[in-house]
């Protein structure tokens, strides 16, 4: 089986966000077909889209796996369900959000899954934690590294993101 490097973004702003994210990380590490798990620092980030909600806690995870993209998507959905995510409206508050940011060099656009994540290159709350753990990972679709994509963000986007727990 071929091992693929996968980048995930996790976020929470409802409930005990730090504990939820720590527990979700442990769940990911416990998966049989996931190895080489690297977890970023914890970041406090301003909400995007719907602004009238609490700040988020965000992290990034880099891992290798033999799972397929759809098996990873199923794992993300399982974790969101386990930690009782309720989708009230787009960009609303949530107990846990787990997104696949990149899956190796895979580029796909299907109804259930778009890789790399379609807005990842616009979001400091995704790129700042990823830059910490995978600065040189190249997002094939953009032919740029995580660091290069982060550097392209404007400063106002970067201001809402700060490390709270290293």
């Amino acid at each position: 089986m071929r091992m693929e490097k996968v980048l995930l973004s996790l976020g929470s702003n409802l409930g005990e966000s730090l504990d939820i994210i720590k527990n979700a990380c442990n769940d990911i590490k416990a998966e049989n077909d996931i190895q080489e798990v690297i977890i970023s620092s914890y970041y406090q980030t301003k909400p995007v889209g719907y602004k009238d909600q609490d700040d988020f806690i965000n992290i990034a995870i880099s891992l290798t796996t033999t799972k397929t993209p759809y098996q990873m998507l199923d794992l993300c959905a399982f974790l969101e369900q386990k930690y009782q995510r309720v989708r009230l409206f787009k960009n609303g508050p949530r107990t846990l959000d787990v997104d696949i940011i990149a899956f190796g060099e895979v580029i796909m656009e299907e109804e259930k899954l778009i890789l790399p994540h379609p807005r990842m290159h616009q979001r400091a709350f995704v790129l700042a934690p990823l830059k910490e753990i995978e600065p040189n990972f190249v997002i094939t679709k953009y032919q740029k590294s995580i660091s290069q994509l982060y550097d392209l963000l404007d400063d106002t986007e970067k201001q809402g993101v700060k490390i709270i727990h290293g």
Side-chain angles (χ1 to χ4, degrees), residues 7 15 37 41 49 52 54 58 63 65 72 117 119 155-156 164:
L7 306 181
V37 177
S41 299
D52 188 20
D54 292 339
N58 284 95
L63 58 86
T65 187
M72 279 304 301
H117 190 284
R119 292 169 302 285
D155 290 340
T156 54
I164 55 167

Side-chain angles (χ1 to χ4, degrees), residues 54-102:
D54 292 339
D55 287 354
F56 279 81
I57 305 294
N58 284 95
I59 65 160
I61 298 178
S62 169
L63 58 86
T64 58
T65 187
T66 55
K67 288 183 185 295
T68 67
Y70 278 107
Q71 288 170 328
M72 279 304 301
L73 184 64
D74 289 345
L75 175 62
C76 295
F78 168 79
L79 291 170
E80 289 179 354
Q81 201 169 25
K82 178 177 180 180
Y83 294 99
Q84 300 164 352
R85 175 170 181 176
V86 177
R87 293 174 192 268
L88 298 174
F89 52 90
K90 187 173 174 57
N91 297 323
R94 57 207 86 140
T95 54
L96 184 63
D97 186 27
V98 184
D99 287 327
I100 304 170
I101 301 305

Side-chain angles (χ1 to χ4, degrees), residues 21-37:
I21 290 175
K22 283 178 187 168
N23 291 334
C25 288
N26 289 333
D27 293 339
I28 290 167
K29 285 191 226 170
E31 288 284 310
N32 288 331
D33 42 9
I34 289 179
Q35 299 174 359
E36 300 175 37
V37 177

Side-chain angles (χ1 to χ4, degrees), residues 1 3 5 7 16 30 33 35 40 56 62 64 72 75 97 100 103-104 106 120 124 134-135 137 154 157:
M1 291 295 270
M3 296 293 281
K5 181 167 293 230
L7 306 181
E16 298 296 325
D33 42 9
Q35 299 174 359
S40 73
F56 279 81
S62 169
T64 58
M72 279 304 301
L75 175 62
D97 186 27
I100 304 170
F103 194 99
V106 173
M120 58 87 56
E134 288 288 352
F137 184 92
D154 62 62
E157 176 71 18

